[in-house]
Amino acid sequence: MIGADAAGMSAASQARRRRTPDKLEIVAFERGNFTSYSACGIPYWISGVVPDRDALVARTPAEFEKAGVRVRMRHEVVAIDLDRREVVARDLEGGGEIREGFDELLYAAGAVPVTPDWARVDGGGVFGVQTLDDGTAIKAWLESDPKPQRAVVIGGGYIGVEMAEAMIKHGLDVTLLEKSSQPMSTVDLDMGERVRAAIDGLGITVRTGAHVQGIETSHGRVRAVVTEDGTVPADIVVLGLGVRPNTSRAVESGIPVGVTGGLRTDLRMRVVGPEGHVEGLWAAGDCVQTTHRISGQPMHAPLGTHANKQGRVAGINLGGGYATFPGVIGTAVTKVCDLEVARTGLSSKEATRAGFEYVTATVESTSRAGYYPGAETMTVKMIAERRTGRLLGAQIVGREEAAKRIDALAIAVWNEMTVEEMTALDLSYAPPFAPVWDPVLIAARKATDALLAADQG
């Protein structure tokens, strides 16, 4: 197995449950220092919300070894020989290379941060945020002498916004640079405006339409970020430009990739090429291409939830069982201070790109009965297909207890429910938890009305 994080070790665990060590030898190669950790938790450890780095590690190499999975830590796979059925790995600490034969190979190398040429500088203080080793390096830099005073985060997606907040918690002056017209562009513009207001409220300087041209260094340390509109002083730069599938070793070995750059697989996570399955080769996690269940289009969905599920499916099949992975619908959630942001299915832009005709409905409501102490406001937006009324997507921006309502909407999207059907959903009610008409139900009613108006128009 190439990669010992979510996908790789979920697969290893499932395969081991089904076949004993004398029936199936499992060897995992990992270039980093950790196995089975929560990359999504890195910003919260850096910010201090999670005090202990080891709390992010679900299972250590020693625990896997005890369970009968051999783990070669700090070994980077540098070549895959499909003809000889071998991987070649470099020992990053002891030096030298080893060859390991395989009957079946799981490629679970994850993703790597998008790093433009202008970000490849000589000098310290520029970081991606993909692995726990990256997080460790950022934490060390924040505690170095002289301590950084100014941070620039490039990219206003989930990781960029979360890292900008983490820098604020360290007392730094923070500037967030985003090339599009709003941060958090995975939600619609009207919802993103609410997110922008929350980011501004943290004291973060947000510059949209910012095109970065380079990074200046001095005496081995970052000094400033250069944009079309001038330079922004920086003692630390965090790249939040997204990630791409880590498939370079696969491509070098002649293994085909899909249009997203990720490995193409079938439902059982077997790698698929132009002529069918690649014999004995499996893939899972952030390095694969998957399918959006609503648009039917290929997509790259680098989330720990999908990686664990795909790894589980691959491991069950490698262990002699049968399992499939049916695709994704783009559910995601994050927060900015106490503002929660969630989405599922298609955004308006994505629905348009996929060719749907649709209506939208947006409502303002509260998390609890309005008279109950602690009630917070939230905004729910639904996107419904014309004629069929099927829910294509939804977004929520609000305070406490807002975002997790996206799970009910995700179930509705997954099961192709119509918004009219949703108006009768038997959702729970009590004043401490929801108003008598839950925001989800109100939005479904308004979307149903919008569909009727569109048909009559």
Side-chain angles (χ1 to χ4, degrees):
M1 295 180 174
I2 302 174
D5 193 14
M9 302 318 274
S10 290
S13 297
Q14 290 296 326
R16 174 56 68 233
R17 289 178 185 177
R18 286 160 177 79
R19 299 181 66 183
T20 57
D22 61 313
K23 299 293 184 181
L24 178 67
E25 181 184 7
I26 302 175
V27 182
F29 290 91
E30 171 56 48
R31 70 183 306 275
N33 289 288
F34 305 93
T35 57
S36 291
Y37 57 88
S38 171
C40 299
I42 293 172
Y44 306 109
W45 168 55
I46 291 174
S47 71
V49 172
V50 177
D52 184 6
R53 180 188 66 184
D54 291 344
L56 302 182
V57 179
R59 207 172 183 189
T60 66
E63 290 172 314
F64 279 112
E65 292 280 356
K66 186 176 180 180
V69 177
R70 187 151 55 98
V71 185
R72 291 189 175 274
M73 301 300 296
R74 302 290 291 145
H75 277 70
E76 179 180 14
V77 172
V78 296
I80 302 170
D81 191 331
L82 292 176
D83 294 327
R84 299 180 62 174
R85 315 298 283 177
E86 290 180 336
V87 295
V88 182
R90 179 182 299 125
D91 186 341
L92 298 178
E93 292 186 350
E97 292 183 347
I98 64 169
R99 285 181 172 266
E100 185 80 47
F102 64 85
D103 298 308
E104 307 279 345
L105 176 65
L106 175 69
Y107 194 103
V112 291
V114 172
T115 309
D117 290 339
W118 51 256
R120 304 178 191 280
V121 298
D122 293 326
V126 181
F127 302 94
V129 190
Q130 180 62 21
T131 67
L132 197 47
D133 289 299
D134 294 333
T136 300
I138 293 171
K139 191 85 165 176
W141 188 266
L142 289 171
E143 296 169 356
S144 66
D145 187 21
K147 287 191 175 183
Q149 302 297 315
R150 302 160 301 182
V152 174
V153 178
I154 305 174
Y158 293 102
I159 195 68
V161 169
E162 290 165 1
M163 286 302 299
E165 183 176 351
M167 296 296 107
I168 281 287
K169 289 183 180 295
H170 274 274
L172 277 66
D173 292 328
V174 182
T175 300
L176 177 66
L177 302 178
E178 169 56 47
K179 68 178 181 179
S180 66
S181 60
Q182 68 172 49
M184 205 69 73
S185 58
T186 54
V187 298
D188 289 343
L189 182 60
D190 54 339
M191 303 294 273
E193 289 173 350
R194 294 169 170 81
V195 181
R196 168 69 181 267
I199 297 173
D200 289 339
L202 287 174
I204 296 169
T205 300
V206 182
R207 290 176 52 179
T208 55
H211 294 272
V212 178
Q213 297 178 322
I215 296 175
E216 295 180 354
T217 60
S218 177
H219 299 98
R221 297 176 70 94
V222 64
R223 187 173 72 86
V225 175
V226 182
T227 75
E228 289 181 347
D229 300 318
T231 60
V232 183
D235 304 310
I236 180 172
V237 174
V238 178
L239 303 176
L241 298 169
V243 298
R244 58 178 176 80
N246 183 13
T247 53
S248 57
R249 293 292 174 260
V251 172
E252 291 167 2
S253 305
I255 300 169
V257 296
V259 295
T260 66
L263 291 166
R264 294 175 59 233
T265 66
D266 65 7
L267 294 175
R268 298 183 68 195
M269 307 312 298
R270 297 177 295 187
V271 173
V272 177
E275 299 178 0
H277 297 113
V278 181
E279 184 63 30
L281 187 61
W282 307 70
D286 292 355
C287 60
V288 307
Q289 173 176 294
T290 190
T291 301
H292 198 292
R293 286 171 58 92
I294 307 305
S295 70
Q297 296 175 350
M299 67 178 297
H300 181 224
L303 283 175
T305 51
H306 306 322
N308 276 285
K309 292 171 189 173
Q310 291 169 352
R312 178 179 182 276
V313 167
I316 289 172
N317 289 311
L318 283 165
Y322 177 81
T324 61
F325 182 77
V328 303
I329 58 171
T331 306
V333 63
T334 189
K335 73 176 193 67
V336 182
C337 193
D338 63 342
L339 186 74
E340 302 175 359
V341 186
R343 58 152 292 166
T344 190
L346 301 176
S347 67
S348 296
K349 183 192 303 183
E350 292 163 345
T352 298
R353 190 164 55 238
F356 288 107
E357 289 190 9
Y358 58 87
V359 300
T360 65
T362 303
V363 301
E364 303 281 345
S365 186
T366 57
S367 58
R368 304 172 181 176
Y371 56 81
Y372 193 89
E376 297 282 1
T377 60
M378 75 173 73
T379 304
V380 180
K381 182 174 185 177
M382 287 188 180
I383 301 164
E385 185 181 18
R386 288 194 60 178
R387 296 188 64 184
T388 68
R390 177 173 56 144
L391 181 65
L392 298 177
Q395 299 161 33
I396 299 176
V397 176
R399 305 291 171 179
E400 182 185 7
E401 299 181 3
K404 283 300 286 181
R405 279 179 166 86
I406 205 69
D407 289 340
L409 293 162
I411 293 170
V413 171
W414 186 275
N415 289 286
E416 301 185 355
M417 292 183 68
T418 68
V419 289
E420 185 174 11
E421 288 173 330
M422 292 178 63
T423 63
L425 283 174
D426 188 6
L427 301 183
S428 62
Y429 161 68
F433 304 104
V436 66
W437 282 98
D438 190 271
V440 169
L441 299 178
I442 298 173
R445 283 167 42 193
K446 189 168 182 179
T448 301
D449 292 342
L451 287 166
L452 289 173
D455 288 342
Q456 293 170 357

